[in-house]
Amino acid sequence: MEDLIYNKPHRRYNILTGEWILVSPHRTKRPWQGKTEDKVEVKTVTYDPSCYLCPGNERASGDKNPNYEHVYTFTNDFAALLPDVEAEEVNEGLFKAATEEGICKVVCFSPDHSLTLPLMKEEDITRVVQKWKEEYIELGGKDGINNVQIFENKGAIMGCSNPHPHGQIWAQRSIPEEIIKKTENQKVYWEQHNKSLLQAYIEQEKEVNERILVENEYFVALVPYWAVWPYEAMIVPKRHIQSIDQLQEEEEKAFASIIKKLTIKFDNLFETSFPYSAGIHQKPTDGKEHPEWHFHMSFYPPLLRSSTVKKFMVGYEMFANPQRDITAEQAANTLNALSEVHYLKR
């Protein structure tokens, strides 16, 4: 494809989901008179006595947090999934339903209420990576758990109900639709080429070097060619590994390092605590080998033009397919021009 195409309305293909996105680069010049958000203020209080997640505090359930010093996990007091749910189905003509069971956990990244991942020390982010790994192994090893979804919603704009640095893990019996789509597309490529789809993809990305943001010995962070969100990014291990439990010690540290550097760039973009939803996609825990799977972590930030203007998924996006204005290359250029030193530390 000629670069000239990228200056016109065009579609791009997502190799992982098999879906298309509409790109409209000419729309970046349109004026904005729509809704603006409040700028996110960086927290300075290291302990909040009213916070349900701070060490030693009582949660809404009445349970009390221990005086934890590093990463702390517990079963969500208001879990979307419950264990030991009896299997039942509804099959009445076009009405189909089935009970679902699972376990939802909260992962407190740090006892310090004021921190976020970009402000944490790399060794403390490594502890978070190790806890993700531990939970994936433990939860994925339980009978009836066929998928473990690790994710973080950062910022009130992303629906986060508590500003304390934390993420979640939902482990469940069924395999979610996004995982099913990515399994199918990676499997087709694996069977045709006997090679990981994402391994081949990052090799091609490194050749053109237009969308890569951060790279170290073990990982690459980039704006994916098919990105939907304005400053969407993806972290991919260079080594073909199916899931986070296969990370070796040096890879755990490298993963933590690249998470920190990428999220610093996010914060530096509009000099705000940059909101996003981030999640790790990896092989299901259904007992199958899944040689096609290549684990990766995606970041979906909503901010578009400034710290107060977000991208909305409405109208065409809801009824047709995703659409974006700035191209992936423009987003990568903007992020690449930013410092890897946090703006609060300068």
Side-chain angles (χ1 to χ4, degrees), residues 28 45 104 109 112 148 158 187 202 243 246-247 264 292:
T28 56
V45 177
C104 294
F109 297 159
D112 189 331
V148 177
M158 299 308 294
K187 189 174 182 179
I202 61 175
S243 47
Q246 297 171 13
L247 288 178
I264 284 175
E292 73 279 0

Side-chain angles (χ1 to χ4, degrees), residues 139-331:
L139 294 171
K142 293 181 180 294
D143 291 339
I145 297 297
N146 293 312
N147 192 76
V148 177
Q149 182 59 61
I150 299 167
F151 64 96
E152 177 197 6
N153 293 323
K154 181 190 173 197
I157 195 175
M158 299 308 294
C160 183
S161 60
N162 189 307
H164 193 96
H166 75 284
Q168 298 185 56
I169 303 175
W170 291 15
Q172 64 189 105
R173 179 171 59 203
S174 67
I175 299 176
E177 293 302 310
E178 283 295 296
I179 305 301
I180 290 174
K181 287 185 287 188
K182 289 190 174 185
T183 298
E184 291 173 348
N185 284 283
Q186 289 181 98
K187 189 174 182 179
V188 168
Y189 192 88
W190 175 264
E191 291 177 346
Q192 291 177 348
H193 303 276
N194 194 32
K195 186 175 185 177
S196 153
L197 174 62
L198 280 182
Q199 195 169 30
Y201 171 67
I202 61 175
E203 287 173 2
Q204 186 172 347
E205 282 285 14
K206 289 181 70 174
E207 286 179 7
V208 297
N209 196 28
E210 289 181 327
R211 289 169 289 272
I212 293 176
L213 304 173
V214 188
E215 182 177 0
N216 60 32
E217 183 178 356
Y218 300 103
F219 286 88
V220 173
L222 49 79
V223 177
Y225 179 77
W226 54 83
V228 171
W229 294 94
Y231 294 97
E232 180 177 331
M234 181 169 65
I235 297 175
V236 187
K238 294 179 180 179
R239 186 167 70 93
H240 175 206
I241 50 180
Q242 287 77 40
S243 47
I244 196 171
D245 60 312
Q246 297 171 13
L247 288 178
Q248 298 172 356
E249 183 178 351
E250 289 305 309
E251 290 172 319
E252 293 172 354
K253 295 176 183 178
F255 190 23
S257 175
I258 207 163
I259 288 173
K260 180 176 176 66
K261 289 179 179 177
L262 174 62
T263 53
I264 284 175
K265 282 183 174 289
F266 283 159
D267 276 15
N268 285 348
L269 178 59
F270 299 129
E271 295 195 346
T272 190
S273 185
F274 205 75
Y276 58 73
S277 281
I280 295 175
H281 277 169
Q282 53 197 326
K283 75 171 183 176
T285 56
D286 56 0
K288 299 178 182 178
E289 289 297 320
H290 290 292
E292 73 279 0
W293 256 95
H294 193 131
F295 115 80
H296 51 283
M297 184 174 189
S298 295
F299 291 77
Y300 301 151
L303 297 185
L304 175 60
R305 299 172 180 230
S306 70
S307 63
T308 61
V309 176
K310 66 172 285 190
K311 161 74 175 177
F312 289 90
M313 288 291 184
V314 294
Y316 183 85
E317 290 93 345
M318 294 178 71
F319 296 104
N321 61 243
Q323 180 272 342
R324 66 179 286 137
D325 294 346
I326 60 172
T327 66
E329 297 73 38
Q330 290 170 331

